[in-house]
Amino acid sequence: MDKKENIFRKLARWLVRWIFGLKYEEKWFGVKALDKPAEIKFKNGVPDDSELIVSPGRQIFNRFMERKFAVFSVLVVLVMFCVVFIAPHFMTKYYDAFTETTQKDLPPTLDFMNVPGELAGNVKMIDSYSSFSVGLSNEGKVYVWGIGTIGATGIDVKQIPEEVKNAKIAYVAAGQDHIIAIGEDGKFYGWGNNRFGQYSVDETILANPNLEPVPDVVLNGQLDVSHIKRVTCGYQATAILMDDGTLYIWGNKQAYANMDRFIGKTNIVDVDFTLNYVVGLDEKQTGVYTGVKGLHTKAKSQIGGTKTDKMADFLNGRKINEVRATSTSVCILLDDGTIGFTGDFQSDYVEVPTLAEGERFIDIEAGTYHFSALSNLGHVYSFGGDHYRQAEAPKVNGAAKLFAGAFQSYAVDGSGKLLDKWGLSGYIFGTDDRGANIAERVVAGGRITMTVGAVAVIIEIIIGVSIGLAAGFAGGWVDIFLMRVAEVFSSIPLIPFMLILSSLLAQVSMTTDQRLYMVMVILGVLGWPGFAHITRAQVLVAREAEYVTAAQAMGVKPSRIAFKHILPNIVSVILVNMTLSFAASMQTETSLSFLGFGVNYPQPSWGNMLSRASNAVAALNFWWQWVFTSAILILTTVCINTIGDTLRDVMDPKSSNDK
Amino acid sequence: MARYIAKRLVYMILVFFLLTFLLFMIYQLMPANRAYTEARTEIQSLKKLSADEKETKFDELYLKYRRRYGTDTDNKVVLYLRWLGLYPISSARYQVVRDLDACLSFVTQVGGFPVDVKQSEDLSPKLTLHNEEELRAFLESPEYLASRELLATEKESSIRMKNLYILEEHNSAPVFAGIFQGEFGFSFDYNLPVVQVVPVHMRNSFLIGLITEIAVLAVTIPLGIKCAVKKGSRFDRFTQFFTLIGFSTPSFIIYIVFIVFFCSILGWFPVMGMKTPGTNYTGLRNALDVLHHVALPTICLTFGSLAGITRITRASMIDALNLDCIRTARAKGLSEKVVIYSHAWRNALVPMVSIIVGGFFGTISGAIILESMFGFKGMGLLFYNATRNADYDMLMFLQVIYTFLGLFSNLVIDLCYGIVDPRVRISK
């Protein structure tokens, strides 16, 4: 052999021989596996063939391993078990009742931070508010990435209008469902959802008192682009701030109760949007201007802790330079390079880091729940809400500009090269109608579904096998009585009974865990007759065997005979039925949860995750919400059923080696 | 054979009583108290009463409704027997004991003495009054006065009920109103007596089930036989794979796929309902409209059942083909067709009987998931809605039907074993 017969080659040969067969092993490795003559071992002068006799267990194992599909199924089931029972420990930020309405019904993607290659070396600005980001290169070209489709409206903001593609753009901003672009010549462009006058005006918009129309100055392209200080968007609203303090603001006033306090103002130094209010900075720079009494008037210097000071005390003579807002909180950048916070924070947050000597903050940007900050030494920091790890900033040197929005942040150096980006990159399986990550819920739901199935089967086996053994071995009236009891239990229809029980117990207050145990117990208690019948049939056959007679003659107690002598001989049948019963229990639990009578929200289960798909329109438009869960469920069940079938075929002495 | 049937029938009746008792006791867990809620609503509609008057009036109303619904006792066994129709409900004329004049007017109304005195929750009278002196004596008696004191202060209505004394007509004829008399209750969901709501739904479930069953058997039996005969061939392996997937998929996923494919993408069939809403077709047009709506549920139900039955057919046919008698038949020189259909299939039929007959009876009880997804007015949807809305009477009635069907189908399956397998027939 010229090639070195090392361990990898041996492994490869073994794999190929196992999967494809001897023929392909010969073809690919040029080895005839049978060219060694079989050695005959001698013992005491006689051929020793004791090695050819294998125990039944070993025989079953060998025959099982010959069936590739069954071995593959075992692997799949093992992987599934590992994933659903181990992975939750890694999902540190997952909890059952998580809701995030801004992220609901998003299709599967990992593109949220997928900055186009052309833009990455040449970034002028990046902005985002919800599920898509818009970027502007130094040459004035606009790029959009992320999820551009707006719900079920059919609008896609990734379809940039021709005129925008052909023009040189100076500013871009992204809102919840629209994008604003301002050309270098002052021309105003907008695209996306326009039902609330986000970027153009018509009679219906003008007639609606809840909408503030786009100012004529902006629409007619009369903006002085060189004096624009800031362009930012909120939920169906937009604000353009000029250097001289003039503010142009328009959009859906139902989303922003205090927009009227900003319309027509000419003394605004900074502006941003929280979830329900517009916040800004007037020329006095001594407080967050909202126009609403008592809003954002108390500040603190750290996110944690509840002690806040009145704004004047907190500032102590300093002035506010910048105001940036998340959904619920506002961060103020003071003239000495320190920051303060007003508003509320989520409980899962990253605290503001203490800066080194001589390092100060020079810029703050805000996303939906987090802030990112740029320091004068070119480092970037993130703090605030951290559910999507958007507040875990990498170490960066030489950052000159910082952009943040939604759940992502981007750091760019002086020449426009994208240095780093961090935050939420997307969802593998998309999100459901509450905004939760479906992949996480599938893993957590798998744990619950599999646990319920497993425990139900265990209960069934314990009750059914005991009763079957007793009935089969004792015989007589005990047998008849127990079989009648089994018949009573088996004539209770499962789903109607579960429905009734669930609706009754819904009126009794139960914790979610207790409810789960109840489901397991009911499934087990209604399913044991099957095992009882099988065990009893096997016991009736095994009872006639001679070893039982011998044991009885020796005076072994009947219960001991039943458990120690007969049971090991019938355990193979029980094993086969156990796997099939496990699959059936999982299916029943899934069906019950789908109907709403098993595991309820917030606990996930593969069944109740599919309940939204019963609506035909939702099933088509939001296909990812049921396709992935169904596929995983079907795969698991198919594999378990295959294992059960193969075990049954393999343990049957009557079937020969044909496949 | 007749003895066997008789024995099974007796056993069936026993189990029926046992199961209904069990279910009835479970229903008693429901904290819904219809008499109470009805009394409350009626009391709220009477506004011109003072607080005290309201209390006494509430007692009377509550008692009235409790007697009407037969829940004027806490004894669960009596409640169960009343529901069955084996124990009389309180149908005698009565009046709450308040003062002497009211009692006397009641006595004249009833036609004179004797009258019974009992507390409102008792099943039998405490004592019988034969004349006016006894009545006066009773009104002075310490128990009655103690109860009056209690009523004056007690706020808890269940305790008040226990201490309320009433005069009742003596020896009125017992009235039974339960299952055995045909009183199945009133569905407040549909605002009709239960017996008027159920037959239509049962007919629908039965029709769709019959068509499905016939279609399924027509497909799976030949398929199963062919797979068993050609065991190991590509056709067999192919079918095995597909039935494995079909068997492992929960039924509602199959329905979702079909709905998305046929309704959303192709648009051939409508999803929900039995008729196009807002139209009033008659005759042939109506029939075609209904057919158009019912087609997709039927197709879905058929596809959902194919996989499982094919597997069982194949498995039992393989077992049958491995019997020694088949080898003998082939050795005798019989044609393969005769061997398969006449000899092997007869043996394979024995385990299949329970599936076929059970499936047939199962269709009458309706497929809950299918009917709730398609809005198909069958027994399953009735059951599902009754569970969701806690429609007590309807639920009990449906439960009775299901229990009865289950037991009856067991009996029929055992008899069919006898028909199909001569060995069973002889040994019985």
Side-chain angles (χ1 to χ4, degrees), chain A residues 354-370:
Chain A
T354 34
L355 294 180
E357 273 294 313
E359 192 178 13
R360 336 179 297 277
F361 292 116
I362 57 172
D363 188 25
I364 309 282
E365 294 295 330
T368 308
Y369 292 117
H370 79 290

Side-chain angles (χ1 to χ4, degrees), chain A residues 69 484 487-488 491-493 495-497 499-501 503-504 507 587 590-591 594-595 597 610 613-614 616-617 619-620 626 630 633-634 637-638 641-642 645 658-659, chain B residues 8 11 15 19 23 26-27 30-31 232 241 244-245 247-250 252-253 256-257 259-260 264-265 271 311 368-369 372-373 383-384 387-388 395 399 402 407 410:
Chain A
F69 192 47
R484 291 290 164 245
E487 200 178 317
V488 167
S491 58
I492 301 177
I495 291 192
F497 188 72
L499 257 62
I500 294 170
L501 217 57
S503 74
L504 285 174
Q507 304 180 15
Q587 276 211 2
T590 307
S591 303
F594 175 75
L595 286 175
F597 293 100
L610 295 169
S614 55
V617 175
L620 184 60
W626 59 273
S630 307
L633 173 63
I634 295 175
T637 319
V638 162
N641 278 331
T642 313
D645 276 352
D658 59 316
K659 290 202 189 38
Chain B
R8 285 300 296 258
Y11 170 70
V15 174
L19 274 178
L23 290 158
I26 292 177
Y27 275 105
M30 270 213 285
F241 184 65
L244 181 65
I245 295 187
F247 177 67
S248 309
T249 320
F252 57 90
I253 296 186
I256 293 174
V257 170
I259 289 178
V260 167
S264 305
I265 299 182
V271 180
R311 300 188 98 217
I368 294 181
I369 299 178
S372 62
M373 278 184 76
F383 192 84
Y384 182 64
T387 323
R388 284 253 303 275
L395 270 179
Q399 209 50 47
Y402 283 157
L407 291 169
N410 276 341

Side-chain angles (χ1 to χ4, degrees), chain B residues 111-385:
Chain B
F113 286 97
V115 289
D116 291 331
V117 169
K118 61 181 208 177
Q119 283 182 311
S120 69
E121 289 201 355
D122 289 345
L123 294 168
S124 54
K126 263 194 157 55
L127 65 127
T128 313
L129 305 171
H130 295 100
N131 48 36
E132 199 170 318
E133 285 83 48
E134 286 189 13
L135 177 62
R136 285 177 202 275
F138 168 71
L139 288 175
E140 318 278 305
S141 64
E143 305 100 30
Y144 177 66
L145 293 173
S147 81
R148 282 201 76 133
E149 271 196 42
L150 203 97
L151 284 177
T153 54
E154 183 59 52
K155 293 288 167 212
E156 176 69 38
S157 57
S158 55
I159 304 179
R160 292 174 73 92
M161 280 286 112
K162 278 195 178 46
N163 285 287
L164 204 61
Y165 276 92
I166 59 172
L167 288 178
E168 220 184 34
E169 194 181 342
H170 186 72
N171 277 347
S172 61
V175 171
F176 297 92
I179 298 272
F180 291 151
Q181 286 75 33
E183 297 273 337
F184 291 106
F186 191 83
S187 155
F188 71 82
D189 210 11
Y190 288 87
N191 231 358
L192 287 172
V194 165
V195 285
Q196 284 187 16
V197 179
V198 171
V200 171
H201 291 79
M202 198 186 285
R203 183 202 68 189
N204 288 338
S205 278
F206 181 70
L207 282 177
I208 194 178
L210 192 67
I211 299 176
T212 306
E213 193 71 13
I214 294 176
V216 164
L217 289 176
V219 170
T220 60
I221 290 182
L223 193 64
I225 294 178
K226 181 158 185 212
C227 285
V229 165
K230 290 194 173 27
K231 185 177 162 198
S233 70
R234 271 181 58 182
F235 180 81
D236 178 35
R237 285 219 300 265
F238 206 60
T239 317
Q240 275 284 77
F241 184 65
F242 273 108
T243 54
L244 181 65
I245 295 187
F247 177 67
S248 309
T249 320
S251 51
F252 57 90
I253 296 186
I254 300 181
Y255 303 154
I256 293 174
V257 170
F258 269 88
I259 289 178
V260 167
F261 188 61
F262 280 107
C263 301
S264 305
I265 299 182
L266 287 180
W268 284 356
F269 296 105
V271 180
M272 295 281 283
M274 307 249 312
K275 291 190 207 238
T276 323
T279 57
N280 237 333
Y281 301 138
T282 51
L284 184 66
R285 212 152 161 226
N286 188 23
L288 283 179
D289 188 35
V290 169
L291 221 62
H292 186 225
H293 279 82
V294 167
L296 191 57
T298 318
I299 295 175
C300 283
L301 195 56
T302 314
F303 266 89
S305 328
L306 281 180
I309 300 187
T310 310
R311 300 188 98 217
I312 296 176
T313 313
R314 177 183 175 275
S316 58
M317 194 65 188
I318 287 176
D319 282 340
L321 282 171
N322 278 334
L323 289 172
D324 289 336
C325 56
I326 304 299
R327 195 185 272 188
T328 314
R330 286 203 181 114
K332 271 189 353 191
L334 295 174
S335 77
E336 195 63 18
K337 230 174 160 193
V338 169
V339 167
I340 295 173
Y341 288 105
S342 185
H343 289 72
W345 175 236
R346 288 250 176 90
N347 283 297
L349 201 53
V350 174
M352 293 268 317
V353 157
S354 66
I355 309 293
I356 296 177
V357 175
F360 185 70
F361 279 100
T363 62
I364 303 182
S365 52
I368 294 181
I369 299 178
L370 180 92
E371 293 179 11
S372 62
M373 278 184 76
F374 286 97
F376 179 81
K377 286 197 179 40
M379 293 278 280
L381 184 67
L382 207 58
F383 192 84
Y384 182 64
N385 283 337

Side-chain angles (χ1 to χ4, degrees), chain A residues 301-313:
Chain A
S301 58
Q302 300 247 287
I303 298 178
T306 46
K307 188 171 175 319
T308 53
D309 296 320
K310 283 223 279 276
M311 186 62 81
D313 298 330

